[in-house]
């Protein structure tokens, strides 16, 4: 049984992890605490734990290549700098399972049990390899210990409406860069979240709860669209599941809906 849940802040993102903790606490039978950035709390500056090398090893090289890793000295240095002073590690996709293994190894042995669930909220883009289709898929979360939650994954993992990609392509052809947020929001029908979206914190709550639910029940996701435990593959479904009503399906409302059960 999980009796302690530790969330970690992601200071380079707009995600308010303390607010996520406040939402989670009354829904679970465990003490919820919030700490600073995982890589500040559990990583030594001299990189004695070899985390930089492990991040370098977890770099995805190509969307269709299962083998990961670029451990050239320059890359490891870059990873060292990014661990110490976080900035958006732009354009790099990491093997989520490799990062999970690295962060598990960074936990102090006294906290590496199944009674304590660690949930680092990260500013990295994470993926998992799809055996069925032979390519990497970006993820919002990677369940397990620790359970990783990726803020950029929220924007990038689920597919956006087709019109979004068309508008982006059209704008790139005309001006050579990405269209501003207002253009995308006004020109593209349908709901989707883009970088630094003001709904980020709200949308991440269900993904953090999924991590707890998985450890408690062994079930990863809910099959019911619209439930906060639903694993959305499209942004429109994500917005519906995380931000729409009802918050949970009937089964999960009995477990997690504070308003319904009290
Ligand atoms: Zn459900």
């Amino acid at each position: 049984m999980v009796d302690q849940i530790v969330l970690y802040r992601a200071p380079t993102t707009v995600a308010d992890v303390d607010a996520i903790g406040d939402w989670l606490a009354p829904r679970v039978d465990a003490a919820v605490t919030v700490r600073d950035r995982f890589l500040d709390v559990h990583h030594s500056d001299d990189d004695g734990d070899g985390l930089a090398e492990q991040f370098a090893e977890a770099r995805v090289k190509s969307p269709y290549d299962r083998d990961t890793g670029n451990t050239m000295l320059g890359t490891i240095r870059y990873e060292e700098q990014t661990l110490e002073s976080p900035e958006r590690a732009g354009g790099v996709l990491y093997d989520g399972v490799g990062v999970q293994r690295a962060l598990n190894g960074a936990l102090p042995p006294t906290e590496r049990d199944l009674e304590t669930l660690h949930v680092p909220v990260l500013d990295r883009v994470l993926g998992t390899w799809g055996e069925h289709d032979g390519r990497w898929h970006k993820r919002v979360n990677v369940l397990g210990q620790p359970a990783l939650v990726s803020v950029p994954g929220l924007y990038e993992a689920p597919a956006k409406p087709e019109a979004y990609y068309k508008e982006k392509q059209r704008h790139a052809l005309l001006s050579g860069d990405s269209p501003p947020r207002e253009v995308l929001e006004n020109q593209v029908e349908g709901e989707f979240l883009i970088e630094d979206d003001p709904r980020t914190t709200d949308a991440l709550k269900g993904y953090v709860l999924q991590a707890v639910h998985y450890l408690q029940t062994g079930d990863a996701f809910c099959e019911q669209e619209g439930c906060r435990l639903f694993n959305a593959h499209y942004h429109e479904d994500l917005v519906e599941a995380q931000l729409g009503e009802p918050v949970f399906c009937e089964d999960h409302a009995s477990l997690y809906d504070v308003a319904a059960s009290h």
Side-chain angles (χ1 to χ4, degrees):
M1 278 300 279
V2 180
D3 56 29
Q4 210 196 155
I5 299 163
V6 186
L7 311 181
Y8 296 86
R9 298 186 185 103
T12 60
T13 73
V14 299
D16 181 348
V17 176
D18 293 81
I20 296 173
D22 289 343
W23 180 86
L24 186 66
R27 292 180 162 77
V28 293
D29 202 11
V32 177
T33 51
V34 179
R35 293 182 186 164
D36 281 332
R37 182 173 170 261
F38 186 97
L39 293 166
D40 288 334
V41 176
H42 295 304
H43 174 61
S44 54
D45 276 351
D46 61 2
D47 201 43
D49 46 21
L51 265 190
E53 190 164 347
Q54 292 179 72
F55 269 86
E57 276 167 7
R59 281 172 165 243
V60 171
K61 292 189 281 195
S62 137
Y64 304 101
D65 184 356
R66 199 204 170 124
D67 290 335
T68 63
N70 172 347
T71 48
M72 286 187 298
L73 201 54
T75 311
I76 295 174
R77 288 245 169 81
Y78 173 88
E79 293 292 350
E80 264 169 22
Q81 284 161 7
T82 315
L83 288 175
E84 273 169 42
S85 46
E87 53 193 59
R88 307 281 164 99
V92 182
L93 173 64
Y94 296 87
D95 169 14
V97 176
V99 170
Q100 186 175 51
R101 205 180 303 125
L103 298 191
N104 185 283
L107 287 170
T110 52
E111 292 191 356
R112 207 183 295 153
D113 52 57
L114 287 177
E115 286 83 56
T116 310
L117 171 65
H118 298 266
V119 187
V121 180
L122 301 173
D123 56 7
R124 311 289 185 119
V125 187
L126 306 173
T128 55
W129 178 256
E131 284 295 347
H132 61 291
D133 59 1
R135 66 183 190 90
W136 289 91
H137 297 266
K138 291 177 183 174
R139 297 290 177 201
V140 188
N141 57 15
V142 179
L143 304 177
Q145 173 76 298
L148 313 182
V149 174
S150 164
V151 180
L154 183 69
Y155 315 128
E156 297 177 30
K160 296 194 176 72
E162 206 178 321
Y164 169 91
Y165 299 103
K166 284 197 176 136
E167 182 59 32
K168 234 183 143 166
Q169 196 177 28
R170 197 181 69 87
H171 205 271
L173 285 173
L174 291 174
S175 67
D177 57 17
S178 298
R181 174 189 303 260
E182 308 79 63
V183 171
L184 288 172
E185 282 174 349
N186 295 331
Q187 306 277 333
V188 179
E189 239 181 278
E191 288 270 34
F192 54 93
L193 281 81
I194 48 183
E195 204 182 322
D196 297 338
D197 199 287
R199 299 168 289 179
T200 296
T201 299
D202 258 350
L204 284 175
K205 289 171 180 170
Y207 287 93
V208 172
L209 183 62
Q210 285 170 9
V212 181
H213 184 71
Y214 178 63
L215 218 62
Q216 300 277 37
T217 66
D219 297 331
F221 302 108
C222 176
E223 296 298 319
Q224 300 284 319
E225 285 182 31
C227 178
R228 276 222 186 230
L229 300 180
F230 181 68
N231 183 25
H233 295 291
Y234 297 91
H235 265 269
E236 293 183 289
D237 296 339
L238 183 156
V239 170
E240 175 63 29
Q242 299 302 334
L243 305 169
E245 296 283 340
V247 182
F248 294 103
C249 70
E250 268 180 43
D251 286 352
H252 293 129
S254 66
L255 282 176
Y256 298 121
D257 197 336
V258 177
S261 60
H262 293 282

